[in-house]
Amino acid sequence: MIIVGIGLAIFLQGLEIGIFPVGEGLARDFAKSGSTMWILIFGFMIGFGTTVAEPALAVIADKAASISSGRIDADTLRFVVAGSVGFAILLGVFRIIKGHPIHYYIIAGYITVVSVTFLAPPEIIGLAYDLGGVTTSTVTVPLVAALGIGLASTIKGRNPVIDGFGLIAFASLTPMIFVQVYGIYVYTFVDATEVAKIVVEATVSETTTISIESITLGILAVVKDVLPILAVIFFFQYVILKKK
């Protein structure tokens, strides 16, 4: 519990001194530059890059592929979900720029989710709804929230409280639509193969000895998850915005 507390304290400090200023700063710089196209591309890349490397998504995609009789491909499913989140952030940024009321988008989105559910095969519905929840990682959410608030604070006539929020709702909504459409395709046009044997081993949690190796592996795993975000941020900061 002490280790968890220290970790959360450091994580929250990282948000305050790094993620929030970067997200809001990029949003302000893009808004001042007047380049709508680049900020839309940035929104898509942040959503796509952070989701495709999300560990929880990789686990669920592998499990879904192993029990789908060969219809679902794990990598394809991950790219479908990542693309849907990228599209969601792009759509949310577009809404903030144009000043459209968020409830129109949300209502239309959930009507689409329910409508597609009637057409989707039963095997894909639960998976699609679950994937709507695993796409919001601990780094993506603060960065995207900061992006929305920064945009709404900079664009004239926008209210940060009214217009700055809602991007996370889009990111949870669109995967349910995209994955169900993907499921309709694979269960209609892809032939089933023999179901792979799934071995599930029951394990009981045991006391783990903390070592330099375990800490190093943990840090490397985090670095791997954060690298796509850093790559997108560095590219747009130094190549597109040409910041010092």
Side-chain angles (χ1 to χ4, degrees):
M1 290 300 296
I2 292 173
I3 293 172
V4 171
I6 293 172
L8 285 174
I10 296 173
F11 171 70
L12 293 173
Q13 285 294 311
L15 295 183
E16 292 294 334
I17 67 175
I19 298 296
F20 289 145
V22 165
E24 293 175 10
L26 279 170
R28 285 193 296 269
D29 290 337
F30 275 120
K32 291 175 181 176
S33 71
S35 178
T36 301
M37 182 189 71
W38 277 118
I39 194 168
L40 292 177
I41 294 174
F42 173 71
F44 177 85
M45 292 303 299
I46 282 290
F48 183 91
T50 54
T51 304
V52 77
E54 173 66 25
L57 174 59
V59 170
I60 291 185
D62 289 338
K63 293 295 183 185
S66 66
I67 60 175
S68 65
S69 303
R71 288 188 173 99
I72 295 175
D73 177 74
D75 290 334
T76 302
L77 181 60
R78 288 174 64 187
F79 281 111
V80 168
V81 175
S84 70
V85 175
F87 173 76
I89 306 303
L90 183 151
L91 185 64
V93 169
F94 176 79
R95 180 196 72 81
I96 294 173
I97 293 173
K98 294 298 182 181
H100 297 156
I102 188 173
H103 52 276
Y104 294 154
Y105 288 77
I106 297 296
I107 292 170
Y110 276 106
I111 289 174
T112 305
V113 169
V114 174
S115 301
V116 175
T117 300
F118 284 109
L119 304 174
E123 297 88 345
I124 205 74
I125 295 173
L127 174 65
Y129 278 70
D130 280 348
L131 287 172
V134 303
T135 54
T136 50
S137 71
T138 51
V139 179
T140 310
V141 170
L143 183 58
V144 168
L147 176 66
I149 294 170
L151 266 181
S153 302
T154 307
I155 298 176
K156 188 177 180 180
R158 302 291 176 270
N159 186 326
V161 177
I162 297 174
D163 301 304
F165 295 99
L167 293 178
I168 309 303
F170 289 157
S172 300
L173 176 64
T174 52
M176 294 188 281
I177 300 172
F178 280 56
V179 172
Q180 287 188 97
V181 172
Y182 171 66
I184 292 171
Y185 171 79
V186 296
Y187 277 90
T188 302
F189 299 105
V190 178
D191 295 328
T193 58
E194 184 180 352
V195 179
K197 183 179 179 181
I198 305 166
V199 179
V200 180
E201 297 180 358
T203 58
V204 179
S205 297
E206 298 178 353
T207 304
T208 302
T209 302
I210 298 175
S211 64
I212 297 298
E213 181 184 4
S214 66
I215 294 174
T216 303
L217 291 175
I219 293 174
L220 288 176
V222 173
V223 169
K224 178 186 174 185
D225 295 337
V226 174
L227 273 178
I229 309 173
L230 291 178
V232 172
I233 290 173
F234 286 156
F235 174 77
F236 280 89
Q237 284 221 109
Y238 299 120
V239 177
I240 303 303
L241 294 173
K242 295 180 172 59
K243 300 187 77 171
K244 294 182 181 180

